[in-house]
C-alpha cells in the first residue's frame, strides 16, 4: 500500500517550507524554489496566476501547482507539489479535482496556510492506495531548462493531460514542463521549448527483454532500460545496446498502437571489440607477481597492439600466451564479457647438477646430485661445500663441482684458499733466505 506525498513551499524574499505530508528524503530532494521555472514564461504580474509543473522521477510523477503572488517583483509564488508513486492510479477526474483543491489551499493573502486547509489536506493524504505490481515508469526529467505546453481552447484540456497520466515522452528532455492555460494570456518565452500539441500522443507499456545477448544492455533515451516503460504508441523508438569495449548496436523499432509489448534483443554477433595487451592481466601462479615480457595470440592473431574482433569471435576465443621461464598457456577464454582477462602463468622448474667428490678405491669417484627448483640456486646446496669457480650454472648437462671447505659457507673456502696462498708466499721467502 502506498500514500501520496505533499510538499507546500513559499518563495518570497526567501524560500520556506510550509507543510509536508508523508514526505520522504528521496522525493524531497527534488522539491525546490520554482522561480527558475517561472522565468521561462511571461505572465501578468499584477494578479495571481496558476500554472501546473510536471516533473518525472524514476519512482513516480510530481505534479506541482504554482500560484504566483500578485505584485511580487521577484517571481514570488506558493507551490503545492504532490508526488504520485508509480503504480498508484487516480482517475482523471480525481487528478483534476486534486489540482483544484491544492490551488485553493495556497490561495492566501498573507502567504500562510489556513488551519482549515491543513486539516482538509491531512485528511485527504491519509488515504492509502493499492499499488500495481511492477508498474511502468516514465523517463526521468533531464536537462537544465524548462519546457511549456498550452492547455484548453484548441489545445488538449487539463483532463486530457490527466487521462494521459500527465506524460508525453518528449517532455522528459526538459527539467520540467509547465502547463499554461491558453485563456489566461501567459506565454512561453522560448519557441524551441514549446511542446504544445493539438492532440496528445497515447502511451503504451514497453517491457524489457526476457534476456540479453552477449551481455549487451539496452538504453532508451540515454537511460538503462531494465523495467517496464511508457513509450509513445504507434511511434518509432531507437534503442542503444551497449557493452563495454564493443561498438554500440542501434536498434530501431516501430511500436504498435496498443500494448503492452516486449522488446526483443537484436543480433550482436557482428559488433566489434578492440583487444590489446592491456586486455590481459598476467601474473605468476602462487606469488601473483606480474609477468613482464610475454607474447599473446588470440585466435591465431598475435596481439602486439589494438586488434578488432567480432563478438562471436571473442565468446570462445582461443588464447595462447608465452613468457620466458614460464609454461606456455593455451586455453579458451570468454573475452567478450570481460574487460580484462586474468591469466596465471606457472613457473618452469630450473635444473641444476652438482658433483660431490668421494674418497673411495672403486671406480665411482663422485656422487651426482640433480636438483629442480622454481627459484635460482646461487650457492652450494650442501653445508660445508662450495662451488668451484664461485658461481652456479643452470642446466642438467652442466656440472657444478663441489669442494669441501668445512664451515658453513664460501667464506670458509676463501679462508682455505687464503691459507694456501699465505703458505706459498712464506715458502718463497724461506727459500730466498737460504740462497
Amino acid at each position: 500500500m502506498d500514500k501520496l506525498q505533499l510538499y507546500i513551499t513559499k518563495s518570497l524574499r526567501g524560500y520556506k517550507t510550509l507543510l509536508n505530508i508523508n514526505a520522504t528524503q528521496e522525493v524531497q530532494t527534488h522539491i525546490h524554489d520554482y522561480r527558475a521555472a517561472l522565468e521561462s514564461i511571461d505572465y501578468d504580474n499584477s494578479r495571481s496566476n496558476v500554472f501546473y509543473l510536471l516533473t518525472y522521477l524514476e519512482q513516480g510523477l510530481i505534479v506541482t501547482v504554482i500560484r504566483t503572488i500578485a505584485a511580487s517583483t521577484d517571481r514570488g509564488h506558493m507551490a503545492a507539489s504532490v508526488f504520485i508513486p508509480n503504480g498508484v492510479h487516480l482517475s482523471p477526474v480525481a487528478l483534476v479535482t486534486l489540482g483544484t483543491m491544492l490551488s485553493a489551499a495556497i490561495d492566501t493573502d498573507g502567504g500562510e496556510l489556513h488551519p482549515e486547509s491543513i486539516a482538509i489536506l491531512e485528511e485527504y493524504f491519509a488515504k492509502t492506495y493499492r499499488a500495481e505490481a511492477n508498474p511502468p515508469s516514465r523517463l526521468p526529467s533531464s536537462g537544465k531548462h524548462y519546457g511549456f505546453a498550452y492547455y484548453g481552447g484548441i489545445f488538449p484540456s487539463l483532463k486530457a493531460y490527466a487521462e494521459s497520466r500527465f506524460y508525453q515522452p518528449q517532455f522528459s528532455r526538459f527539467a520540467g514542463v509547465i502547463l499554461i492555460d491558453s485563456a489566461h494570456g501567459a506565454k512561453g518565452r522560448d519557441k524551441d521549448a514549446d511542446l504544445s500539441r493539438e492532440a496528445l500522443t497515447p502511451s503504451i507499456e514497453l517491457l524489457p527483454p526476457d534476456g540479453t545477448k552477449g551481455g549487451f544492455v539496452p538504453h532508451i533515451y540515454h537511460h538503462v532500460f531494465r523495467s517496464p516503460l511508457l513509450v509513445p504508441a504507434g511511434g518509432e523508438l531507437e534503442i542503444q545496446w551497449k557493452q563495454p569495449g564493443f561498438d554500440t548496436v542501434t536498434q530501431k523499432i516501430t511500436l504498435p498502437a496498443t500494448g503492452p509489448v516486449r522488446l526483443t534483443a537484436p543480433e550482436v554477433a557482428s559488433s566489434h571489440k578492440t583487444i590489446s595487451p592491456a586486455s590481459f592481466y598476467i601474473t605468476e601462479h602462487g606469488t601473483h607477481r606480474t609477468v613482464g615480457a610475454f607474447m599473446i595470440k588470440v585466435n591465431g592473431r598475435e596481439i602486439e597492439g589494438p586488434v578488432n574482433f567480432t563478438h562471436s569471435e571473442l565468446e570462445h576465443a582461443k588464447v595462447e600466451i608465452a613468457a620466458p621461464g614460464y609454461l606456455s598457456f593455451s586455453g579458451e577464454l570468454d573475452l567478450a564479457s570481460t574487460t580484462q582477462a586474468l591469466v596465471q602463468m606457472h613457473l618452469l622448474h630450473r635444473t641444476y647438477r652438482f658433483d660431490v667428490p668421494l674418497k673411495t678405491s672403486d671406480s665411482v669417484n663422485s656422487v651426482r646430485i640433480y636438483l629442480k627448483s622454481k627459484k635460482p640456486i646461487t650457492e652450494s646446496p650442501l653445508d660445508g661445500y662450495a662451488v668451484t669457480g664461485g658461481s652456479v650454472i643452470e642446466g642438467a648437462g652442466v656440472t657444478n663441482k663441489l669442494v669441501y671447505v668445512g664451515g658453513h659457507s664460501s667464506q670458509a673456502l676463501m679462508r682455505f684458499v687464503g691459507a694456501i696462498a699465505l703458505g706459498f708466499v712464506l715458502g718463497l721467502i724461506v727459500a730466498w733466505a737460504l740462497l
Side-chain angles (χ1 to χ4, degrees), residues 161-380:
Y161 275 99
E163 289 171 345
S164 72
R165 308 193 216 190
F166 282 116
Y167 179 64
Q168 295 289 280
Q170 67 270 24
F171 287 8
S172 295
R173 58 191 177 94
F174 290 92
V177 174
I178 300 176
L179 299 183
I180 304 171
D181 190 340
S182 62
H184 288 179
K187 302 291 182 182
R189 289 184 170 182
D190 185 0
K191 291 183 178 180
D192 292 334
D194 189 352
L195 300 168
S196 304
R197 298 288 187 274
E198 292 186 6
L200 298 177
T201 302
S203 298
I204 63 170
E205 185 176 348
L206 180 65
L207 305 176
D210 288 327
T212 60
K213 292 184 178 179
F216 279 73
V217 177
H219 292 67
I220 298 178
Y221 301 121
H222 308 294
H223 293 272
V224 176
F225 177 43
R226 61 169 68 93
S227 59
L229 183 68
L230 292 175
V231 293
E236 287 193 349
L237 187 65
E238 183 175 285
I239 301 98
Q240 303 285 333
W241 293 79
K242 299 181 180 182
Q243 161 77 311
F246 281 95
D247 300 333
T248 297
V249 176
T250 300
Q251 178 189 29
K252 293 183 178 180
I253 62 172
T254 299
L255 296 162
T258 58
V261 61
R262 188 174 295 279
L263 181 65
T264 302
E267 187 55 58
V268 298
S270 60
S271 181
H272 287 85
K273 179 180 182 179
T274 300
I275 298 296
S276 71
S279 303
F280 298 84
Y281 183 61
I282 303 173
T283 60
E284 183 179 292
H285 178 75
T287 66
H288 302 291
R289 291 191 297 247
T290 55
V291 175
F294 50 80
M295 184 277 293
I296 303 173
K297 286 185 177 181
V298 175
N299 295 336
R301 300 170 66 182
E302 188 168 348
I303 308 299
E304 295 180 297
V307 180
N308 285 336
F309 294 89
T310 65
H311 187 276
S312 57
E313 290 175 322
L314 294 178
E315 277 188 303
H316 305 284
K318 182 182 179 182
V319 177
E320 301 168 81
I321 302 176
Y326 295 88
L327 288 171
S328 296
F329 171 86
S330 179
E332 193 175 272
L333 297 179
D334 179 8
L335 299 181
S337 60
T338 57
T339 303
Q340 191 177 49
L342 308 180
V343 179
Q344 290 191 339
M345 304 288 286
H346 289 266
L347 196 63
L348 284 169
H349 289 290
R350 295 179 171 90
T351 301
Y352 299 88
R353 188 177 84 179
F354 298 93
D355 282 358
V356 183
L358 295 177
K359 185 176 181 181
T360 177
S361 58
D362 59 24
S363 58
V364 179
N365 58 12
S366 64
V367 172
R368 184 157 291 167
I369 301 173
Y370 289 92
L371 296 179
K372 289 186 177 182
S373 173
K374 290 185 177 180
K375 296 181 179 179
I377 296 176
T378 58
E379 59 183 10
S380 169

Side-chain angles (χ1 to χ4, degrees), residues 1-9 19-31 34 57 59-65 79-86 88 90 95 98-99 101-102 121-122 124-129:
M1 303 296 284
D2 280 318
K3 290 184 177 182
L4 305 182
Q5 301 175 28
L6 178 65
Y7 306 84
I8 297 182
T9 60
L19 178 68
N20 288 341
I21 300 177
N22 304 326
T24 63
Q25 183 61 38
E26 61 180 353
V27 174
Q28 192 162 5
T29 56
H30 298 277
I31 306 300
Y34 296 107
L57 308 182
Q59 308 94 329
L61 163 71
I62 298 177
V63 179
T64 301
V65 180
S81 300
V82 56
F83 172 73
I84 306 171
N86 291 332
V88 171
L90 275 71
L95 286 170
L98 175 59
M101 180 177 68
L102 293 176
L121 293 173
E122 288 178 339
Y124 183 91
F125 283 87
K127 299 176 186 176
T128 58
Y129 300 84

Side-chain angles (χ1 to χ4, degrees), residues 1 4 13 16 53 107 120 132 142 179 248 261 271 274 349 355 382 410 413 425 428:
M1 303 296 284
L4 305 182
R13 297 184 299 276
K16 180 180 180 182
L53 174 65
D107 183 11
I120 292 172
E132 174 188 349
S142 59
L179 299 183
T248 297
V261 61
S271 181
T274 300
H349 289 290
D355 282 358
L382 298 180
S410 58
L413 176 60
V425 171
L428 289 176

